[in-house]
Amino acid sequence: MDEPLIGDVFGEMIRDAYAVRTGRGPRPLAGGRVPRPVIEVIERDDGLINGALADHYLDEPAEWQPHDHRALRLCRGHVLDIGVGAGRTAIEIQRRGMAVTGLDTSRGAIEVARRRGLRDTVLNTIDAYAVAGARYDTFLLLGNNLGLLESRQRAPIFLDALARLANPGARIIAQGTDPYGTTDPVHVSYHRRNRERGRLGGQLRLRLRYRMLATEWFDYLNCSIEELSALLTGTRWRLKSIDDEDRPYYLAVMELIS
Ligand SMILES: C[S@@+](CC[C@H](N)C(=O)[O-])C[C@H]1O[C@@H](n2cnc3c(N)ncnc32)[C@H](O)[C@@H]1O
């Protein structure tokens, strides 16, 4: 059997989702006739496979989760939206007259965000961008992108890159998910398996698939608030507040230690 090619899975998927929602650009067709919904396929390293509609990455504010609205109210100064995707939140911040830059590692996602009107974009990793000399007041990690902390090893490196990009008084506003409320045996045993391997329970090892493409396997972290506090120890960030009104989802606000 041929292995899938490694490529810009998120970008290809979001281009097609944009075409299906707007009718602009070539659409994936079922049987060559009917536009078909675009599905994000997520594989986990215990064999679990999940599919989710990709269309929500293009949601307008009226379709958002309540915590997304509360996150935007916390933004101030120049905002760096990290893992901006199709520009869902950055475009709304821009519409409100605030300075916002959207950063993503996916060329296709940046292309779609620009086509939708986002003016200031960066196609780069946060690590490479941290040496560019730009400075921000708010770092946004929405759409569960607190997950980009990845692991106990990666989190301090990621947080250090943000500190290098930070103005005095800067804040990180991140949406995360506490994974431990579940009683689903598939997830409970995955958390146990991770801990037995020295990983955090909710340290997911994933790869995304779309049509002929796959990503490399990567870590994406769902952590409890206690675990997040522990990850901040020894970094230049401290936990300022937690909004867990939409449990198991939460918004964590972290501030730069002056
Ligand atoms: C779950 S989506 C969230 C998109 C957007 N924030 C939203 O709420 O609609 C994750 C996004 O992060 C991007 N991404 C993944 N790894 C990244 C990394 N290491 N640095 C920057 N962006 C990354 C993906 O390309 C994708 O656009």
Side-chain angles (χ1 to χ4, degrees), residues 4 10 13 19 25 31 39 63 70 79 85 112 118 122 144 165 198 224 235:
F10 198 85
M13 179 187 83
I39 311 285
E63 303 163 285
R70 296 199 295 277
V79 179
V112 171
L118 184 62
V122 174
N144 214 38
L165 288 162
S224 66
T235 74

Side-chain angles (χ1 to χ4, degrees), residues 8 10-11 40 56-58 68 81-89 103-106 109 124-127 141-145 148 150 154 158 218 220:
D8 182 11
F10 198 85
E40 178 174 27
H56 69 94
Y57 290 116
L58 301 155
D68 285 328
D81 190 334
I82 300 169
V84 67
R88 195 174 62 86
T89 46
L103 176 141
D104 210 289
T105 48
S106 160
N124 209 343
T125 63
I126 203 71
D127 311 77
L141 291 161
L142 296 185
N144 214 38
N145 259 350
L148 295 180
E150 291 185 18
R154 171 67 181 156
F158 183 86
F218 61 94
Y220 198 70

Side-chain angles (χ1 to χ4, degrees), residues 101-146:
T101 304
L103 176 141
D104 210 289
T105 48
S106 160
R107 183 176 295 279
I110 291 285
E111 244 176 69
V112 171
R114 292 191 72 84
R115 231 183 289 161
R116 297 175 80 210
L118 184 62
R119 288 190 291 271
D120 190 15
T121 55
V122 174
L123 174 63
N124 209 343
T125 63
I126 203 71
D127 311 77
Y129 189 55
V131 297
R135 292 285 179 276
Y136 298 91
D137 304 290
T138 303
F139 300 97
L140 258 193
L141 291 161
L142 296 185
N144 214 38
N145 259 350
L146 182 64

